[in-house]
C-alpha cells in the first residue's frame, strides 16, 4: 500500500472562494508609499486573491515603470488605481477600516490577528464598502491614520524579526480575506454603520463644541480626541445615531452662546 503524500490544491481556477460582489467591496489603501515597485507588487498580490480596488494616498512616484514591472499581469489593477490627496478622500463611502500595524503602540486600540479580523471585514463587505489600510514602508501608519480605524490588525511574525515587506503583508492579508470569504454564507448585519466622511464631520463638530464650552484644552486635546475616537469606534455609529449626537452638540452650542449673552446682559445691568 502506497504511503505517498498527495499535495492539496488550495486554490484553482474553479475555486469556490471567488465571490466578486464581496471582494469588490474591499479597498486596499496604501498610504504614502515610497517605492513604486511595492505598489506594483501589491497590485499583483491583490489580483491573485481576486481583489481589484486599489487606492493610493500621495505615492512618491506613480505611475512608474518599476510599478508596471512588478505588477506583471496585474497591470489592470494599476491602471484602475485611484490616487488620492488625503485619507479622507480614500475613505469616502467606507464604513469599516482595518489598519495594519507591526509596531506595538501606546494606544488602547483593539488589535486582532488577520484570521480574526478578516471575517468581520467580509461580513461587512457583503453590504457596504470596507478598507484595508497600509502605511508607508518606513514607519507604517501614523497615529492619526490609526485613529480612523475601527481596529488594528497585526500579523503574528517572529518577535526576533518583525520586518515584513509591504507587498508580502498585502499578500497575506488578502489571502486571509479570500479564505474568510469562502467560509460559507454570511448573515446580513442588522448594523448599518455611517460612512467615514459622516463620522469625520461628527468628530470635527465634537471637537469644536468641546473647545467652545471649555472642556477641551489645547495641551490635552489631541490625546483626548484620540480616546474619544476609540470609544466611538467600538460603538460603530449608525447614520441616525450620528445625527442625534450632532443635534445634541448643536443645542449645547446654542445654550452656551445664550448663557454668555445672559451673563453679558447681567454684567451691564450691574454696572
Amino acid at each position: 500500500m502506497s504511503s505517498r503524500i498527495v499535495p492539496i490544491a488550495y486554490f484553482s481556477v474553479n475555486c469556490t472562494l471567488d465571490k466578486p460582489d464581496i471582494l469588490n467591496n474591499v479597498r486596499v489603501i496604501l498610504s504614502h508609499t515610497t517605492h513604486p515597485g511595492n505598489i506594483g507588487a501589491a497590485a499583483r498580490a491583490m489580483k491573485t486573491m481576486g481583489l481589484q480596488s486599489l487606492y493610493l494616498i500621495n505615492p512618491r512616484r506613480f505611475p512608474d515603470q518599476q510599478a508596471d514591472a512588478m505588477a506583471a499581469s496585474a497591470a489592470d489593477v494599476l491602471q484602475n488605481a485611484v490616487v488620492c490627496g488625503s485619507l479622507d478622500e480614500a475613505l469616502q463611502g467606507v464604513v469599516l477600516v482595518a489598519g495594519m500595524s507591526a509596531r506595538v503602540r501606546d494606544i488602547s486600540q483593539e488589535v486582532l490577528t488577520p484570521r480574526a479580523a478578516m471575517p468581520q471585514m467580509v461580513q461587512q463587505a457583503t453590504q457596504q464598502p470596507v478598507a484595508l489600510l497600509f502605511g508607508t514602508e518606513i514607519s507604517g501608519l501614523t497615529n492619526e491614520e490609526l485613529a480612523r480605524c475601527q481596529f488594528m490588525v497585526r500579523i503574528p511574525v517572529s518577535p526576533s524579526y518583525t520586518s515584513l515587506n509591504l507587498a508580502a503583508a498585502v499578500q497575506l492579508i488578502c489571502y486571509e480575506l479570500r479564505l474568510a470569504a469562502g467560509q460559507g454564507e454570511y448573515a446580513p448585519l442588522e448594523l448599518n454603520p455611517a460612512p467615514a466622511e459622516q463620522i469625520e464631520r461628527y468628530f470635527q463638530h465634537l471637537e469644536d463644541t468641546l473647545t467652545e464650552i471649555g472642556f477641551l484644552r489645547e495641551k490635552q486635546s489631541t490625546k483626548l480626541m484620540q480616546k474619544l475616537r476609540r470609544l466611538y469606534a467600538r460603538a460603530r455609529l449608525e447614520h441616525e445615531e450620528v445625527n442625534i449626537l450632532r443635534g445634541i452638540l448643536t443645542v449645547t452650542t446654542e445654550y452656551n452662546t445664550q448663557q454668555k449673552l445672559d451673563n453679558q446682559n447681567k454684567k451691564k445691568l450691574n454696572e
Side-chain angles (χ1 to χ4, degrees):
M1 185 174 179
S2 173
S3 60
R4 183 171 64 89
I5 297 175
V6 178
I8 299 173
Y10 288 98
F11 294 106
S12 72
V13 291
N14 298 314
C15 182
T16 59
L17 302 187
D18 284 319
K19 294 188 176 180
D21 290 343
I22 294 176
L23 299 179
N24 287 344
N25 249 352
V26 181
R27 296 179 191 176
V28 173
I29 302 177
L30 307 183
S31 179
H32 296 81
T33 310
T34 59
H35 196 289
N38 286 329
I39 297 174
R44 182 176 183 178
M46 289 171 58
K47 189 168 183 178
T48 61
M49 295 295 122
L51 282 82
Q52 296 284 333
S53 186
L54 176 61
Y55 283 63
L56 306 172
I57 303 173
N58 293 322
R60 182 174 294 178
R61 287 159 47 198
F62 186 83
D64 190 273
Q65 290 182 349
Q66 286 183 296
D68 297 339
M70 292 300 292
S73 295
D76 56 325
V77 177
L78 287 185
Q79 290 168 2
N80 294 319
V82 180
V83 179
C84 305
S86 67
L87 183 57
D88 285 333
E89 189 179 343
L91 292 180
Q92 186 81 17
V94 167
V95 300
L96 182 61
V97 187
M100 311 303 144
S101 180
R103 292 187 288 125
V104 177
R105 309 277 182 145
D106 187 25
I107 52 176
S108 57
Q109 193 164 6
E110 185 178 15
V111 181
L112 302 175
T113 65
R115 192 144 298 183
M118 291 308 106
Q120 295 186 40
M121 303 300 289
V122 169
Q123 186 169 34
Q124 191 66 65
T126 61
Q127 297 173 243
Q128 294 164 291
V130 302
L132 305 171
L133 180 60
F134 295 81
T136 179
E137 303 97 321
I138 299 171
S139 56
L141 294 171
T142 65
N143 287 339
E144 289 73 22
E145 288 171 327
L146 278 175
R148 304 291 297 275
C149 303
Q150 275 68 45
F151 51 81
M152 287 192 289
V153 177
R154 184 171 299 140
I155 298 170
V157 296
S158 169
S160 63
Y161 189 65
T162 60
S163 179
L164 192 64
N165 176 269
L166 174 60
V170 171
Q171 182 77 78
L172 194 152
I173 295 297
C174 290
Y175 165 78
E176 289 290 342
L177 183 84
R178 184 175 175 83
L179 201 64
Q183 299 301 310
E185 296 300 320
Y186 284 83
L189 288 169
E190 294 182 7
L191 185 69
N192 185 26
E197 61 271 20
Q198 186 183 9
I199 296 293
E200 199 55 28
R201 287 194 295 270
Y202 168 68
F203 280 125
Q204 188 59 59
H205 192 175
L206 177 62
E207 185 173 0
D208 291 344
T209 302
L210 294 179
T211 301
E212 184 174 334
I213 65 175
F215 181 81
L216 204 59
R217 304 187 187 280
E218 189 174 343
K219 289 183 178 180
Q220 64 180 23
S221 62
T222 300
K223 284 190 174 181
L224 182 57
M225 285 307 300
Q226 286 178 349
K227 289 180 179 179
L228 288 172
R229 281 178 176 274
R230 292 195 293 274
L231 186 155
Y232 284 112
R234 293 192 295 271
R236 302 287 309 282
L237 295 173
E238 297 191 54
H239 174 79
E240 187 175 350
E241 292 169 336
V242 174
N243 288 340
I244 291 171
L245 289 170
R246 292 196 67 178
I248 294 172
L249 295 178
T250 298
V251 172
T252 300
T253 302
E254 292 172 350
Y255 179 79
N256 187 62
T257 301
Q258 188 60 50
Q259 285 294 102
K260 287 180 179 179
L261 288 173
D262 291 346
N263 290 336
Q264 288 174 1
N265 290 334
K266 286 179 181 179
K267 188 176 180 180
K268 288 179 180 178
L269 289 173
N270 294 329
E271 288 177 353

